[in-house]
Amino acid sequence: MKSLWNDQEAAGYKSELAQRVYTSRLLGRDKSLVLHGGGNTSVKATTRNLIGENEEILYVKGSGWDLEFIEEAGFSPVRMAHLLKLAKLEALNDPQMVNELVTNMTRASAPAPSVETILHALLPHKFVDHTHADAVLAVTNTANGEKRIAEIYGDQVVIIPYIMPGFDLARLCAELFPKHAGANTIGMVLLKHGIFSFGANARESYERMITLVDLAERYLDKQHAWSLKHADVKTPAASIAEVALLRSEISRVAGFPMVMASQRDARTAAFIARKDIATISQQGPVTPDHVIRTKRLPMPGRNVDVYAGAYRDYFAQHNAKSKEPKAILDAAPRLVLDKSIGMCTLGRSMKDAYIVADLYMHTMDVIERATLLGGFIALPAQDIFDVEYWDLEQAKLKKTGKPLMFAGEVALVTGAASGIGKACVDSLLARGAAVVGLDLHANMHKRPDFLGVRCDVTSATDITAALEAAVRTFGGLDMLVLNAGIFPGGTAISKLDDAQWRDVMKVNVDANLTLLRSCHPLLKLAPRGGRVTVIGSKNVPAPGHGAGAYSASKAALTQLARVAALEWGTDNIRVNTLHPDAVFDTGLWTAEVLTARAAHYGLSVEQYKQRNVLKTEVSSRDVAELAAELCGPLFAKTTGAQVPVDGGNERVI
Ligand code: ZN
């Protein structure tokens, strides 16, 4: 492990707090030190308050902040004097501790201070750094971890036996640290938890962390427990139907839908193929920040091995910006290791699922290295239970709000790169769904809950590939928005040739049949029932001159949707159709076309756009919002319906 300190960069951070920000970010950049809001840092500084008194303040990382991206605002300023008094108490339960920390800050808008705040206050050094370094965990989580740590560090660190984070841990450190610290002490190792370093300035504290972790890495290397060799595993991959079934079953156990990411790279495949996987995957977490609840997942009808562990999603709960309730106490796993599916991670959002995946990638390293050292030992079972049920977590659970309408669900939209399709993607994302966008053209969003797939919907091969990607990325399919279509421009029937007719039918009808047929087995597995929204056209109830092929194609599609509604009712799949009209904010309607059409009717562009009963403009967004709502609970009892979105059309009414 190498120090990332850079004099030039560091010079840009002037104050002590700014220096604290800089080295905290350096720690955050190395994922083998801290992950997703894990770890914490602090600095003690004297500041002058409003009434002119000097106060000693502990600036400690606040919850909801990630060290890699932390700013000065991410540090909670807590009065040192009060913290030191608290540390002298015999006992302090977690809700009391949280209350004392929050009510003794000097900035009301600051985030809640870390649960390890009192511990930071007790260490008699200006700068304190704390990580859950993989290398240190690989050493401490073994049978003779304590002996090994003593061997690696000698009198450079004080060793603290494992105890759950919180007031009791701070008390234990307060007792043991002064007793064992000497002139050479530059850190403190918390067995099965992590490591602290400290120093007089930001650089010293940071570089001591690097030095200490580097020593652990070198030790592992010397014991041939550092570089991991992975066998090449060739197990046939499960079908997407099996993947979707697994996600459906787990959502059923949870009582709400969850998205499921799956990955089957060489590294995870090798881990899952280990002979001792049943043992090592069932032992528990490597540190209290990575808690997994382990249990066998009963999967009737599946003949693959399933080892399941539920991560208590510690970090996501600390994310103040998250509105998601973390239903940590349900029985459903958040992690599944399956030989033919790979490593599957689940959550109410893709962000949560990816956090679990990141944590477990590091967990695998720690477990394999500890195994090479002679045997991995996780936290004691009682402590895992304690961490899951501890007061602090309960308090946080109460604070979380209502989930978004489509949290944990997956939608697929065709023609997703522009117009109504693009708007549908946005409306579904805004309601918490993970969205797969199919389009001929390159796709638009770069976010964990969006997957853009280049796809020609008239190609069955392209559709198969798109569904493969969708299910392996998000775990299944709950909603389908059939939007892609072409409007070839006005051609009278007397001039309409077979080729144009067939082209329109191919995209507007045939492709949608292929999509419906291919998505049906997946929609059947949707935990809340499948939903299909078809984008039809006003031309179905009120066809226009010159739109023979288009009107006929949309009418055929509408009829197909009605039959699907009939046939799929017993599969709990709802199918509804929207008939938009005069949606001018799409690529079809350039300024020139608009001006020409308006002139044709002797109207201004403005008048032309509002040529309907309500004298209103219809936007892509209007259509998309209704398309999304049709999939939501308001329409839970509606299927086979056709709803106009046209501002009112006299020929339709
Ligand atoms: Zn910690």
Side-chain angles (χ1 to χ4, degrees):
M1 175 158 292
K2 289 211 159 42
S3 167
L4 302 175
W5 178 275
N6 175 310
D7 281 331
Q8 233 174 336
E9 257 177 28
Y13 297 84
K14 305 280 185 230
S15 70
E16 284 173 336
L17 186 54
Q19 288 271 304
R20 179 65 285 175
V21 167
Y22 175 58
T23 57
S24 299
R25 289 181 185 172
L26 294 185
L27 290 177
R29 269 199 236 162
D30 192 325
K31 300 302 165 209
S32 71
L33 288 173
V34 293
L35 267 176
H36 294 297
N40 41 60
T41 56
S42 68
V43 59
K44 301 175 184 80
T46 307
T47 58
R48 185 164 290 245
N49 66 21
L50 211 67
I51 34 180
E53 297 162 347
N54 282 338
E55 266 186 316
E56 211 194 335
I57 301 296
L58 176 78
Y59 292 89
V60 64
K61 196 201 87 154
S63 28
W65 286 83
D66 198 315
L67 286 182
E68 187 178 3
F69 306 107
I70 201 159
E71 293 161 21
E72 291 191 12
F75 285 91
S76 314
V78 197
R79 292 187 183 92
M80 272 294 285
H82 193 73
L83 289 173
L84 295 175
K85 278 183 221 162
L86 287 177
K88 294 217 168 67
L89 291 174
E90 270 306 307
L92 190 63
N93 67 35
D94 290 324
Q96 286 172 331
M97 182 175 82
V98 170
N99 184 62
E100 290 303 307
L101 297 182
V102 170
T103 52
N104 281 282
M105 297 198 299
T106 58
R107 196 176 78 243
S109 62
S114 156
V115 289
E116 283 160 6
T117 297
I118 298 178
L119 179 45
H120 279 260
L122 282 168
L123 290 169
H125 304 84
K126 192 165 185 65
F127 285 81
V128 176
D129 293 37
H130 169 46
T131 70
H132 308 119
D134 287 355
V136 174
L137 292 172
V139 177
T140 63
N141 292 39
T142 53
N144 40 9
E146 182 168 358
K147 221 181 96 213
R148 292 178 189 278
I149 289 292
E151 191 187 323
I152 297 170
Y153 297 121
D155 59 358
Q156 288 186 97
V157 304
V158 172
I159 302 173
I160 308 288
Y162 177 75
I163 184 168
M164 211 171 69
F167 184 71
D168 294 343
L169 172 62
R171 284 269 312 184
L172 185 66
C173 293
E175 183 195 324
L176 296 181
F177 186 81
K179 223 186 265 177
H180 301 286
N184 294 329
T185 307
I186 58 170
M188 179 166 80
V189 170
L190 276 51
L191 297 176
K192 295 180 186 152
H193 173 154
I195 181 165
F196 280 80
S197 65
F198 28 73
N201 56 57
R203 181 175 187 171
E204 184 176 61
S205 184
Y206 166 74
E207 288 195 328
R208 281 174 172 176
M209 174 64 71
I210 302 303
T211 305
L212 291 171
V213 175
D214 189 57
L215 283 170
E217 289 183 356
R218 281 166 198 270
Y219 173 84
L220 286 165
D221 197 36
K222 234 172 55 199
Q223 307 290 319
H224 309 290
W226 179 245
S227 48
L228 299 168
K229 287 175 200 74
H230 295 116
D232 198 10
V233 180
K234 287 187 183 70
T235 319
S239 68
I240 57 169
E242 278 186 283
V243 178
L245 179 64
L246 177 63
R247 177 245 176 185
S248 178
E249 280 294 303
I250 297 173
S251 296
R252 191 180 52 75
V253 174
F256 47 78
M258 286 195 281
V259 281
M260 182 174 95
S262 55
Q263 63 185 88
R264 237 178 136 257
D265 56 292
R267 196 264 173 277
T268 50
F271 184 79
I272 298 168
R274 286 179 65 116
K275 286 199 179 61
D276 56 356
I277 185 70
T279 324
I280 59 172
S281 70
Q282 298 297 293
Q283 284 175 345
V286 298
T287 167
D289 267 4
H290 298 192
V291 169
I292 326 170
R293 190 153 26 111
T294 58
K295 66 192 197 66
R296 282 257 179 178
L297 181 70
M299 285 293 294
R302 280 178 61 75
N303 52 11
V304 289
D305 296 330
V306 176
Y307 302 109
Y311 265 101
R312 186 187 51 87
D313 197 353
Y314 182 87
F315 302 114
Q317 288 188 53
H318 277 249
N319 186 347
K321 286 165 220 145
S322 171
K323 298 250 170 6
E324 288 277 286
K326 304 297 171 194
I328 59 165
L329 304 179
D330 65 79
R334 299 298 187 271
L335 170 79
V336 174
L337 304 175
D338 181 298
K339 277 184 184 140
S340 55
I341 303 180
M343 177 178 77
C344 312
T345 57
L346 296 102
R348 290 287 264 161
S349 69
M350 283 309 293
K351 199 177 142 210
D352 288 357
Y354 285 139
I355 287 175
V356 178
D358 281 351
L359 291 181
Y360 206 71
M361 288 304 284
H362 287 267
T363 299
M364 287 191 285
D365 287 350
V366 171
I367 289 176
E368 291 201 309
R369 290 189 177 123
T371 305
L372 286 171
L373 265 194
F376 168 69
I377 295 184
L379 304 184
Q382 182 55 43
D383 281 0
I384 300 165
F385 181 85
D386 287 347
V387 174
E388 281 192 73
Y389 289 84
W390 64 337
D391 294 345
L392 219 56
E393 294 307 314
Q394 291 298 301
K396 259 175 246 140
L397 265 181
K398 277 187 212 132
K399 267 202 258 171
T400 52
K402 238 179 108 182
L404 291 167
M405 186 191 285
F406 297 145
E409 296 198 283
V410 184
L412 186 145
V413 179
T414 65
S418 61
I420 292 173
K422 186 168 189 275
C424 284
V425 169
D426 294 338
S427 294
L428 290 159
L429 285 172
R431 286 165 175 76
V435 181
V436 187
L438 270 48
D439 206 283
L440 276 175
H441 307 286
N443 255 302
M444 53 282 180
H445 293 293
K446 260 208 158 64
R447 44 188 283 179
D449 49 3
F450 180 80
L451 174 71
V453 183
R454 211 176 281 248
C455 174
D456 175 355
V457 289
T458 64
S459 152
T461 323
D462 276 16
I463 290 177
T464 304
L467 291 180
E468 272 282 326
V471 174
R472 301 212 186 271
T473 308
F474 297 141
L477 185 65
D478 305 273
M479 292 169 275
L480 174 63
V481 179
L482 295 178
N483 163 70
I486 53 169
F487 180 80
T491 314
I493 292 176
S494 56
K495 297 204 175 80
L496 181 61
D497 60 32
D498 291 352
Q500 194 187 93
W501 170 268
R502 272 198 299 269
D503 278 350
V504 175
M505 288 297 167
K506 229 166 96 181
V507 180
N508 293 6
V509 187
D510 302 2
N512 286 319
L513 170 65
T514 312
L515 277 157
L516 284 166
R517 192 178 53 222
S518 317
C519 293
H520 178 241
L522 299 171
L523 291 168
K524 254 169 84 171
L525 292 170
R528 281 189 185 145
R531 284 139 287 165
V532 180
T533 298
V534 174
I535 306 297
S537 165
K538 179 232 49 171
N539 278 42
V540 174
H545 289 269
Y550 183 76
S551 300
S553 73
K554 287 291 186 179
L557 174 60
T558 304
Q559 206 68 348
L560 185 65
R562 294 174 71 198
V563 176
L566 285 174
E567 292 182 357
W568 295 356
T570 47
D571 297 326
N572 197 20
I573 302 170
R574 301 191 287 111
V575 185
N576 293 296
T577 305
L578 286 182
H579 292 318
D581 185 32
V583 181
F584 295 110
D585 60 346
T586 66
L588 246 51
W589 294 90
T590 59
E592 288 105 61
V593 174
L594 254 179
T595 316
R597 295 308 296 165
H600 178 81
Y601 290 97
L603 300 170
S604 73
V605 168
E606 206 57 24
Q607 285 168 327
Y608 179 69
K609 280 182 170 179
Q610 300 182 355
R611 227 166 27 116
N612 54 44
V613 172
L614 294 173
K615 301 276 173 258
T616 183
E617 254 182 69
V618 182
S619 67
S620 296
R621 189 170 181 273
D622 294 327
V623 180
E625 286 288 289
L626 189 51
E629 285 299 321
L630 271 179
C631 298
L634 273 180
F635 289 87
K637 309 290 164 70
T638 301
T639 191
Q642 298 174 55
V643 186
V645 203
D646 56 6
N649 182 301
E650 282 184 15
R651 286 178 59 209
V652 175
I653 292 170

